[in-house]
């Protein structure tokens, strides 16, 4: 409610008295005026005191205005900041021109985009969660979207949703839809495509120069048949050699359960694997891997050499594959550059074709050949990438043919 000024209140109270005193003597009128002025001064003092008390009550309700109260409020604010999650956002955008030339097929040119956006929340010093969205729909090994479909909207889906808990300096526990927890020599994708984000639980542990990674993934959850599971284990050794070079070697074993006799994963396509007359996997997949990676300094730039070998111990034939390669230089900003080369040969049933490199020889297994790559930093967080695949595919299936592919990418990181 709005308050009236003290003068208005007095005028309303004393107006009848002044009116009735019109016939009084001037001395009486002067006395009345003096009395009114005294009352006005008393009301003004009362209003000022009431206003001061109201302000003091409001300050008390807000935490007080004393120095002790201020310090206590500051401590509470700092504590709230320490316990609230620390958020960080990141992502990337890639524009790609791609040219494909395969024997017996019409040459193809296409433009593609890939966009990813992630949010990472640090809940505590040892606990982080991450959520990433990416284009590409539900393809497990590619987030690309091809342009040229009447300007339709492009698919977007959950690329990662996982937690990363590190209870000790040596131990790591992860769960959800996560980045691949296993070491891949040279970041090459002989067994698993670099964009594959498996789903399940993983544990990593390090002791001295040794490290161990184990995981259990759900490949396909079924209501009318046994679930397809993937159990993996990896033992590695990492040490520093003379001159500062770092050597990493290791052994891995990946065991797929309930795979033989199942339809090929994801879209039912063979992806190079051998199938029975019903279109189902002819063999199981129990992959043993051996790898080595050497990182050293060469004329002031990093040089990485790697070798990787895999054999499917459950297959009767066409069961092995290998890759060797090198990468020199790095892109850390404007003017940075790097070159790479790799040679790969992968027989039909060496690994699950659905989950291996989606670009090499068109994806899958039953292929061999070279890949050359280059990266150049145009500006900070902006680079140019190029890759050329000179491959052959289909030898194990009795239909060998050449496969050439050129990719030119402009990549923005943010």
């Amino acid at each position: 409610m709005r308050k009236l000024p003290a003068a208005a209140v007095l005028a309303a109270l004393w107006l009848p008295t002044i009116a009735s005193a019109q016939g009084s003597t001037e001395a009486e009128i002067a006395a009345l005026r003096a009395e009114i002025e005294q009352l006005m001064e008393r009301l003004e003092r009362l209003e000022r005191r009431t206003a001061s008390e109201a302000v003091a009550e409001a300050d008390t309700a807000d935490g007080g205005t004393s120095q002790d109260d201020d310090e206590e409020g500051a401590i509470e604010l700092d504590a709230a900041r320490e316990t609230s999650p620390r958020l960080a956002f990141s992502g990337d955008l890639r524009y790609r021109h791609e040219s494909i030339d395969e024997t017996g097929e019409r040459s193809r040119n296409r433009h593609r985009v890939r966009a990813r956006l992630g949010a990472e929340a640090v809940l505590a010093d040892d606990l982080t969660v991450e959520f990433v969205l990416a284009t590409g729909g539900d393809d497990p090994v590619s987030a690309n979207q091809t342009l040229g479909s009447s300007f339709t909207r492009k698919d977007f889906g959950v690329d990662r949703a996982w937690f990363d808990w590190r209870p000790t300096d040596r131990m790591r526990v992860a769960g959800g839809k996560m980045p691949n927890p296993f070491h891949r020599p040279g970041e090459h994708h002989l067994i698993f495509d670099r964009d594959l984000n498996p789903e399940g639980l993983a544990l990593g542990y390090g002791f001295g120069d040794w490290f161990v990674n184990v995981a259990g993934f759900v490949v396909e959850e079924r209501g009318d048949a046994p679930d397809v599971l993937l159990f993996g284990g990896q033992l590695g050794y990492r040490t520093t050699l003379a001159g500062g070079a770092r050597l990493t070697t290791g052994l891995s074993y990946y065991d797929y359960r309930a795979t033989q006799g199942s339809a090929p994963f994801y879209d039912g396509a063979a992806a190079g694997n051998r199938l029975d007359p019903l279109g189902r996997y002819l063999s199981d997949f129990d992959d043993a891997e051996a790898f080595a990676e050497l990182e050293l300094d060469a004329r002031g730039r990093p040089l990485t050499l790697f070798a990787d070998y895999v054999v499917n111990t459950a297959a009767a034939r066409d069961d092995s594959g290998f890759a060797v390669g090198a990468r020199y230089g790095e892109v850390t900003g404007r003017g940075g550059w790097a070159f790479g080369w790799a040679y790969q040969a992968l027989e039909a049933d060496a690994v699950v074709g659905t989950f291996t490199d989606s670009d090499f020889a068109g994806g899958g297994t039953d292929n061999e050949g070279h890949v050359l790559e280059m990266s150049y930093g145009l500006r900070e967080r902006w680079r140019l990438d190029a890759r050329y695949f000179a491959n052959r595919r289909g030898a194990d299936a009795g239909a060998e043919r050449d496969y050439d592919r050129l990719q030119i990418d402009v990549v923005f990181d943010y």
Side-chain angles (χ1 to χ4, degrees):
M1 181 182 293
R2 186 177 179 182
K3 296 197 299 181
L4 294 173
V9 175
L10 285 175
L13 292 174
W14 286 93
L15 186 59
T17 305
I18 295 174
S20 63
Q22 289 180 353
S24 303
T25 64
E26 292 182 1
E28 292 175 343
I29 293 175
L32 288 173
R33 286 177 177 172
E35 187 175 351
I36 290 173
E37 290 176 358
Q38 292 176 1
L39 289 173
M40 289 178 63
E41 292 178 359
R42 292 178 59 186
L43 281 173
E44 288 176 358
R45 288 196 298 268
L46 180 61
E47 284 184 347
R48 287 195 296 269
R49 186 172 66 185
T50 303
S52 299
E53 292 175 353
V55 171
E57 291 176 359
D59 289 340
T60 302
D62 291 338
T65 58
S66 67
Q67 183 176 357
D68 292 341
D69 291 340
D70 288 342
E71 292 177 354
E72 182 179 353
I75 293 173
E76 291 177 354
L77 181 59
D78 290 341
R81 288 174 178 169
E82 290 178 358
T83 57
S84 62
R86 298 188 296 275
L87 285 174
F89 297 93
S90 63
D92 64 85
L93 172 67
R94 182 178 70 194
Y95 187 94
R96 167 175 290 176
H97 170 73
E98 187 171 58
S99 178
I100 302 173
D101 186 8
E102 182 178 1
T103 301
E105 302 289 338
R106 186 172 181 270
S107 297
R108 185 176 186 183
N109 291 279
R110 59 184 177 180
H111 294 255
R112 317 187 84 186
V113 294
R114 183 194 70 186
R116 296 182 293 195
L117 176 62
E120 181 183 80
V122 181
L123 305 183
D125 291 339
D126 61 350
L127 181 60
T128 303
V129 297
E130 184 188 35
F131 180 73
V132 179
L133 294 175
T135 52
D138 58 0
D139 191 328
V141 292
S142 177
N144 292 311
Q145 288 283 270
T146 302
L147 305 182
S149 53
S150 301
F151 306 144
T152 55
R153 290 182 172 86
K154 307 307 176 186
D155 292 332
F156 226 80
V158 176
D159 193 38
R160 295 179 185 174
W162 67 296
F163 69 86
D164 183 2
W165 177 43
R166 307 200 179 197
T168 70
D169 293 339
R170 297 182 176 183
M171 182 181 295
R172 177 182 186 181
V173 181
K177 186 169 181 60
M178 68 185 76
N180 192 336
F182 296 105
H183 181 79
R184 293 184 301 113
E187 291 298 314
H188 191 73
H189 22 209
L190 180 68
I191 301 176
F192 300 114
D193 188 285
R194 70 184 65 182
D195 287 335
L196 180 69
N197 294 312
E199 303 162 9
L201 294 169
L203 170 67
Y205 189 79
F207 48 99
D209 293 334
W210 297 86
F211 63 90
V212 174
N213 293 309
V214 295
F217 298 131
V218 181
V219 181
E220 287 191 357
E221 188 276 330
R222 300 168 171 172
D224 55 353
D227 296 341
V228 178
L229 305 175
L230 168 59
F231 295 100
Q234 185 176 75
L235 175 64
Y237 178 76
R238 183 181 291 116
T239 187
T240 301
L241 305 177
R246 290 179 59 82
L247 175 66
T248 303
T249 60
L251 300 172
S252 310
Y253 189 75
Y254 305 103
D255 180 9
Y256 287 84
R257 301 291 179 87
T259 300
Q260 187 176 15
S262 298
F265 303 137
Y266 174 53
D267 58 0
N273 295 139
R274 294 183 300 137
L275 306 180
D276 64 18
L278 297 178
R280 300 177 179 180
Y281 286 125
L282 191 61
S283 69
D284 205 347
F285 293 90
D286 297 329
D287 290 319
E289 178 191 27
F291 61 85
E293 178 185 84
L294 180 63
E295 302 169 275
L296 62 156
D297 180 86
R299 295 181 178 272
R301 294 182 179 274
L303 172 64
T304 300
L305 308 173
F306 76 90
D308 197 4
Y309 175 79
V310 63
V311 57
N312 180 8
T313 61
R317 62 184 180 89
D318 301 331
D319 58 357
S320 64
F322 74 93
V324 293
R327 183 174 177 85
Y328 180 57
E330 62 180 342
V331 178
T332 57
R334 182 174 182 175
W337 53 266
F339 293 95
W341 162 83
Y343 177 82
Q344 170 180 307
L346 200 57
E347 294 180 336
D349 282 343
V351 299
V352 174
T354 302
F355 299 142
T356 191
D357 189 350
S358 62
D359 294 322
F360 192 95
T365 61
D366 192 6
N367 54 48
E368 63 89 20
H370 302 267
V371 56
L372 300 172
E373 58 183 5
M374 178 275 292
S375 295
Y376 181 78
L378 299 172
R379 289 170 55 181
E380 193 72 25
R381 299 181 178 274
W382 182 12
R383 73 179 188 273
L384 175 68
D385 293 345
R387 290 199 297 172
Y388 178 68
F389 299 84
N391 311 143
R392 295 183 66 81
R393 60 183 297 187
D396 294 336
E400 188 173 17
R401 55 200 183 275
D402 292 333
Y403 184 96
D404 298 310
R405 187 174 195 163
L406 174 65
Q407 297 173 337
I408 300 176
D409 302 335
V410 180
V411 184
F412 306 88
D413 295 314
Y414 50 88

